[in-house]
Amino acid sequence: MSRLCVVVPAYNEGESLREFHARLATVFDQVAGKFDMQCEVLYVDDGSRDDTYVVMCSLRDSDARVATLKLARNFGKELALTAGLDAADADAVVVIDADLQDPPELIPSFIEYWREGCDVVYGTRSTRAGETPLKKFTSAAFYRVMEKLSATPVPRDTGDFRLMSRRALDALRRLRERQRFMKGLFTWVGYRQKSVVYERDARFAGESKFNYWRLWNFALEGITSFSTAPLKLATYVGLGTAGLSFVYALWVFGKALLLGDRVQGYPTLMLVILFLGGVQLMALGMIGEYLGRIYIETKQRPLYLIDELIPAARDETGISLQNSASQAGKVGVN
Ligand code: UDP
Ligand code: MG
């Protein structure tokens, strides 16, 4: 019998989790009947400050299909997801948010495509209920910029909600970079990808954890992790300004020769100095963005630290979570 593991990163989702699990459990029953699969869910508590972990533990006590993983602190969604994917051991893995914005009811259709031989089946949002026009606009703009800049374009309007086959998961696990832009990494893997269109609901409870500052940093992460175009841009802007300056120098020189130098031109001088200063600072800033990331990467820190990993009751006989023995020592995986 093949196995399905659903990985759910959650940060302060105490209010949504029970409802989420109720809906997921219904889907599990359906999947078990229709596809003859053994289903399991791994809840990853990303250092929540509310009762999320307590709720997770009570779900685990009442449902043998629930496994829980608690991180040592809040590592951010991308790392929580990584921790969950590292621990999951199944033939197909589904990633889904805990806030019910992505409907668990879509999982059976993901499985159908997977059975047909697709390695990555991802949900593409046709609508995004409950989100402000500004968020929709910035999000759309981001995907389009990424498309232009990156060699491995991230599909538009696609979140992390997806199913991955075993080989896609294994490939993903080999990408150990610290600066993780998961959407890009998912795409980088390649293999046979398939999109399923769905309507994104509003959050069930609570608020989005991604404010605009976090989203801006997320976008920077995406661009710098998957494209060196900004570095090239600095080169071309530099070349362009150098060319223009040369032409301008000829003009100034010619004018001085023909008309004499009347010690004017303070405004132009200031303009040129400020402009070049600005361009140089911008180029330095871009280089700095990459340098900072190289710096973080060279430290070779573990990606996350696990506080506690408890397998699903049903699996205590043996199968289940990867390396649970080695992780019981509460070490981080790099
Ligand atoms: N999340 C997480 N760690 C964080 C922030 C968010 O695990 O530091 C989880 C969160 O609980 C949710 C998912 O990531 O299950 C998506 O977060 P959110 O709904 O805030 O993002 P949005 O849907 O607004 O992009
Ligand atoms: Mg959400």
Side-chain angles (χ1 to χ4, degrees):
M1 190 164 33
S2 53
R3 282 174 295 145
L4 172 77
C5 181
V6 176
V7 175
V8 189
Y11 175 57
N12 296 346
E13 301 284 2
E15 279 175 273
S16 324
L17 267 183
R18 284 183 196 285
E19 172 72 15
F20 175 84
H21 189 71
R23 275 174 64 181
L24 187 68
T26 318
V27 173
F28 274 2
D29 295 338
Q30 219 181 314
V31 168
K34 189 169 171 199
F35 300 99
D36 189 31
M37 288 184 88
Q38 183 182 326
C39 304
E40 182 180 300
V41 54
L42 172 61
Y43 288 114
V44 183
D45 174 23
D46 186 16
S48 301
R49 273 165 299 171
D50 66 352
D51 61 346
T52 302
Y53 192 61
V54 179
V55 176
M56 282 180 185
C57 291
S58 80
L59 289 174
R60 195 187 61 230
D61 292 339
S62 60
D63 188 337
R65 297 170 296 191
V66 177
T68 58
L69 191 163
K70 184 180 194 303
L71 293 184
R73 61 170 170 83
N74 178 246
F75 280 90
K77 182 183 178 187
E78 316 277 305
L79 291 176
L81 205 56
T82 307
L85 290 174
D86 286 342
D89 181 20
D91 303 296
V93 174
V94 168
V95 172
I96 186 169
D97 287 355
D99 58 3
L100 285 170
Q101 277 191 290
D102 307 319
E105 291 75 21
L106 213 61
I107 294 175
S109 52
F110 282 6
I111 296 177
E112 255 160 44
Y113 285 114
W114 169 65
R115 282 271 161 102
E116 282 169 20
C118 294
D119 288 284
V120 181
V121 188
Y122 55 87
T124 300
R125 320 181 260 244
S126 61
T127 56
R128 315 181 79 178
E131 303 207 55
T132 61
L134 184 62
K135 173 141 184 195
K136 284 184 197 159
F137 172 78
T138 49
S139 163
F142 169 69
Y143 285 108
R144 276 144 197 83
V145 169
M146 275 302 287
E147 221 164 80
K148 292 270 179 307
L149 290 185
S150 168
T152 47
V154 174
R156 285 184 187 187
D157 304 319
T158 298
D160 294 331
F161 184 29
R162 65 188 62 223
L163 176 146
M164 273 175 293
S165 68
R166 183 73 209 202
R167 67 171 180 166
L169 176 69
D170 286 341
L172 187 72
R173 283 202 187 127
R174 288 169 57 193
L175 308 179
R176 300 314 297 179
E177 58 214 76
R178 270 130 199 94
Q179 308 285 311
R180 300 180 78 78
F181 180 63
M182 290 306 280
K183 291 181 216 281
L185 299 181
F186 286 139
T187 323
W188 185 89
V189 164
Y191 291 132
R192 289 188 58 191
Q193 307 227 355
K194 170 87 195 156
S195 129
V196 174
V197 178
Y198 73 106
E199 290 180 9
R200 194 163 209 230
D201 296 329
R203 254 181 167 275
F204 177 74
E207 282 180 355
S208 170
K209 275 93 199 169
F210 290 82
N211 57 28
Y212 279 101
W213 179 242
R214 242 179 128 164
L215 282 173
W216 163 248
N217 284 311
F218 179 69
L220 264 188
E221 200 62 70
I223 291 170
T224 51
S225 303
F226 280 86
S227 164
T228 47
L231 287 175
K232 287 188 196 135
L233 183 73
T235 315
Y236 292 115
V237 172
L239 269 179
T241 40
L244 286 177
S245 312
F246 184 70
V247 173
Y248 183 62
L250 284 181
W251 157 253
V252 171
F253 191 63
K255 207 170 92 172
L257 276 185
L258 292 177
L259 306 173
D261 186 6
R262 276 177 257 151
V263 197
Q264 278 174 349
Y266 177 73
T268 29
L269 202 62
M270 279 312 279
L271 195 129
V272 169
I273 291 175
L274 289 178
F275 177 68
L276 284 182
V279 169
Q280 282 172 0
L281 279 181
M282 192 182 79
L284 271 180
M286 282 179 192
I287 296 169
E289 289 288 337
Y290 285 90
L291 188 71
R293 283 168 175 80
I294 296 172
Y295 169 63
I296 289 172
E297 207 67 37
T298 52
K299 287 195 275 199
Q300 294 284 317
R301 287 188 182 154
L303 297 188
Y304 52 83
L305 293 176
I306 293 176
D307 182 356
E308 195 169 43
L309 172 63
I310 304 179
R314 178 155 82 192
D315 288 329
E316 249 144 34
T317 41
I319 41 173
S320 185
L321 305 172
Q322 288 256 320
N323 318 322
S324 13
S326 70
Q327 287 180 6
K330 300 178 183 174
V331 289
V333 184
N334 65 13

